[in-house]
Amino acid sequence: MVERHFVADPVRKGDHVRLTHVPGVGLGLRVNDQPGMVIGGVGFARAAWGTYFGENHLGLALKDGLTSRMR
């Protein structure tokens, strides 16, 4: 589902990809101001968020960049 979405509408430099937590459902995905999608599965959402913020995240620079506007 996600792969088909990005094949049909590739993300380009300068695009804004928004991931949101949808409680009890899964992960919301939206690119720029286009209609978004919800990827069902709480386990999938946990794994995705863990990639960015979990104990074994992708790196402090990425984590800090994602949270820099939250301060």
Side-chain angles (χ1 to χ4, degrees), residues 10-39:
V11 176
R12 293 172 181 79
K13 185 175 181 176
D15 284 348
H16 294 271
V17 178
R18 292 169 179 86
L19 300 176
T20 55
H21 172 68
V22 182
V25 177
L27 185 75
L29 170 68
R30 186 172 178 176
V31 179
N32 298 319
D33 293 325
Q34 299 301 313
M37 65 186 329
V38 175
I39 303 159

